Amino acid sequence: MSAEHVPENDLLALLRRQIDADSRFLVAYSGGLDSCVLLHLMMRLQQQLPIEVRAAYVHHGLNPRADAWADHCRRQCQLWRIPFEVLTVHVDARRGGIEASAREARYAALRTSLQPQETLLTAQHQDDQSETFLLALKRGSGPAGLASMAAFSASGAFRQRRPLLNMSREQLACYANTHQLRWIEDDSNSDERFDRNFLRLRILPLLKQRWPHFPSAVARSAELCAEQEQLLDELLAEALAGMCNPQGGLAIGALRPLSPARRFALLRRWLASRGAKMPARDQLSRLWLEVACCREDAEPSLLLGRWQVRRFRGDLYLLPVMNSVKACVLAWQPEIGALPLPDGLGELRLSSEKTGACIRRPQRHETVTVRFSASGDVHIVGRQHGRHIKKLWQELGVPPWLRDRTPMIFYNDVLIAALGRFVTQAGQPESESGGWYVDWHLPGEGDE
């Protein structure tokens, strides 16, 4: 599209084609020009179609004017009769710098705010695509990085659309002025210390002055890169599925005979399929050399942002970064109520449905605690002799990262059970009817 005025009906028709498959939307509304135009268009479209539109402002706490901006967005949504909420986030600049950390916090908040069947709408446009492409070029990215932003992306139940991606900023400004829209000018957008601002203020104007169609050419290149990545996805999908176990682990032995190019392509797709950010080439090299190819008795790991790659019994596993709970000791009175566990490990509860571990009830002099580590020999039900806890974990096939995250019930200082793994002889009930059934309820599990 050219930089001249685009009639509203044409824009609405374009938007309608972009979102045709969905009917419930959450607009990421910062109050700036781009999101202001997007929200106005969605408001107009809502007058024509049976769709539902909400808006959310993400409050990063980085600018002293952020409260005033949130109020502006609230008033605008009230005027347009659009439900609105403020999402407050904490930005830790130590995690990859302010730009990357703010973006990660913003998307995490928006994901959490999404209601069932809602699609997230964001207002990136053609000039944003050029900036993203140039940033990827600066990082030395391959086709996946150069594909930049997709008009539609999905991961599990999460769906995101960028319906303005083929519009220039000049066209959006023309629309906003025609409709007398009021938007916020973020003063941080003029800070050239940030790479994206430097490209927007210094580099892209020169490129567009020399080559007016530079943004549209970049958009075509990004689309071609995306097509190549999609083709590779399709060609490698079957091979990748055959290399993964039911727990999502990737077989190292299946990767060894492959060429580095094919191996790295499979590793990238394995990581992406589980939600990890696309790694740089040197990170992939470290993953292969330091994790996959290290000695058999080691317990290697590699951090990739908020993820870690671990190895166990010839397979690679992608796991979230976990906080240690090894030192936690939690007092519990099971008959009073459920026990919340730390670091997102769910909760323990007594089960009336006879699910979970069956253990004896404590005697009056015994206090119940839940811990995440044990030492020494353990005598489990069904065995005559005891075995050291470390050897027992190995025998049961429990990965190292789960050994200190499995809730273990103690009566006083006596180990009674490791939930989901074993019951000790000291915890065996005289009869099933006389015991407790303790259920470990993990996050995301539905109640029957």
Side-chain angles (χ1 to χ4, degrees):
M1 291 187 177
S2 61
E4 67 267 8
H5 171 67
V6 179
E8 180 182 6
N9 287 339
D10 291 352
L11 268 178
L12 289 174
L14 172 65
L15 197 66
R16 185 169 182 168
R17 289 194 298 271
Q18 291 279 346
I19 66 170
D20 187 53
D22 304 316
S23 61
R24 303 185 66 207
F25 304 94
L26 175 64
V27 177
Y29 181 39
S30 68
L33 168 67
D34 314 332
S35 63
C36 183
V37 170
L38 176 59
L39 190 61
H40 185 266
L41 286 168
M42 291 302 296
M43 180 270 294
R44 298 282 294 182
L45 207 58
Q46 191 173 223
Q47 297 170 353
Q48 304 176 10
L49 299 173
I51 61 175
E52 298 178 25
V53 181
R54 294 192 304 124
Y57 173 85
V58 179
H59 193 316
H60 298 89
L62 298 175
N63 194 299
R65 300 169 62 192
D67 289 338
W69 295 341
D71 289 339
H72 165 87
C73 293
R74 181 180 290 105
R75 290 192 300 271
Q76 190 62 70
C77 286
Q78 288 173 347
L79 180 64
W80 290 343
R81 298 182 180 179
I82 294 174
F84 173 78
E85 66 176 323
V86 175
L87 307 176
T88 302
V89 301
H90 172 69
V91 178
D92 186 353
R94 296 171 298 179
R95 300 183 60 182
I98 290 179
E99 284 183 287
S101 299
R103 182 182 185 279
E104 183 175 332
R106 178 165 62 253
Y107 274 98
L110 290 167
R111 280 174 178 265
T112 302
S113 176
L114 277 174
Q115 298 175 0
Q117 305 305 315
E118 271 189 338
T119 298
L120 176 65
L121 297 184
T122 55
Q124 291 94 347
H125 49 74
Q126 196 174 78
D127 295 64
D128 293 324
Q129 185 78 301
S130 295
E131 295 163 15
T132 302
F133 186 92
L134 291 172
L135 288 170
L137 199 62
K138 179 204 58 128
R139 291 191 298 265
S141 299
L146 295 174
S148 303
M149 297 180 290
F152 172 74
S153 57
S155 176
F158 173 75
R159 300 188 304 275
Q160 179 182 1
R161 294 189 183 276
R162 300 179 175 93
L164 303 182
L165 210 52
N166 289 324
M167 300 290 297
S168 70
R169 192 181 192 282
E170 289 84 357
Q171 289 171 323
L172 299 183
C174 185
Y175 178 94
N177 289 323
T178 299
H179 292 273
Q180 299 182 332
L181 303 183
R182 296 174 61 245
W183 64 89
I184 294 165
E185 292 289 354
D186 187 344
D187 53 341
S188 67
N189 288 336
S190 62
D191 189 344
E192 294 183 10
R193 291 176 300 172
F194 300 121
D195 290 342
R196 188 174 287 275
N197 290 347
F198 175 74
L199 288 173
R200 180 184 304 125
L201 299 172
R202 292 290 191 93
I203 305 304
L204 278 173
L206 290 175
L207 293 172
K208 291 162 71 175
Q209 181 180 352
R210 175 87 177 193
W211 302 294
H213 298 293
F214 181 82
S216 59
V218 167
R220 285 197 301 273
S221 293
E223 288 175 5
L224 290 172
C225 289
E227 287 179 8
Q228 292 298 311
E229 284 299 294
Q230 182 179 349
L231 176 60
L232 277 176
D233 286 344
E234 294 172 2
L235 294 175
L236 295 175
E238 185 176 350
L240 181 60
M243 295 178 180
C244 292
N245 64 31
Q247 293 74 41
L250 180 62
I252 296 170
L255 294 172
R256 288 188 190 279
L258 305 180
S259 69
R262 187 176 180 87
R263 182 188 303 136
F264 284 176
L266 286 163
L267 282 170
R268 287 191 187 96
R269 278 150 186 81
W270 174 69
L271 293 169
S273 68
R274 280 152 181 79
K277 185 179 179 181
M278 188 62 62
R281 186 177 181 84
D282 65 322
Q283 290 177 308
L284 281 177
S285 296
R286 289 185 59 199
L287 189 162
W288 181 248
L289 296 175
E290 298 176 15
V291 181
C293 297
C294 72
R295 68 181 193 275
E296 291 297 324
D297 60 343
E299 295 181 4
S301 67
L302 178 70
L303 287 177
L304 293 175
R306 58 190 179 92
W307 299 92
Q308 59 177 326
V309 181
R310 304 284 294 268
R311 190 189 74 183
F312 180 63
R313 294 189 173 178
D315 292 327
L316 295 173
Y317 291 87
L318 182 69
L319 309 162
V321 174
M322 305 169 188
N323 297 314
S324 175
V325 296
K326 186 175 181 179
C328 290
V329 178
L330 308 173
W332 187 28
Q333 295 178 285
E335 291 180 306
I336 293 180
L339 176 70
L341 300 176
D343 203 39
L345 287 173
E347 66 179 19
L348 302 186
R349 59 176 71 158
L350 292 185
S351 171
S352 59
E353 304 297 327
K354 295 187 176 182
T355 58
C358 183
I359 61 175
R360 69 171 176 86
R361 295 169 183 265
Q363 298 176 15
R364 288 185 177 181
H365 69 278
E366 292 177 319
T367 58
V368 182
T369 59
V370 175
R371 312 178 190 183
F372 297 89
S373 67
S375 59
D377 289 345
V378 178
H379 295 77
I380 69 174
V381 172
R383 297 190 183 182
Q384 183 177 358
H385 302 290
R387 192 157 198 201
H388 194 277
I389 185 67
K390 182 176 180 180
K391 297 293 185 182
L392 187 58
W393 287 134
Q394 293 172 348
E395 177 189 335
L396 296 174
V398 180
W401 56 88
L402 294 182
R403 295 172 191 176
D404 293 332
R405 295 178 68 81
T406 298
M408 291 183 277
I409 296 177
F410 282 76
Y411 292 169
N412 292 339
D413 289 321
V414 178
L415 177 60
I416 299 300
L419 295 182
R421 306 299 180 184
F422 58 79
V423 174
T424 68
Q425 293 177 8
Q428 186 176 18
E430 293 184 3
S431 66
E432 290 187 4
S433 60
W436 273 343
Y437 283 88
V438 181
D439 186 30
W440 181 10
H441 187 77
L442 292 165
E445 292 182 345
D447 293 326
E448 297 296 332

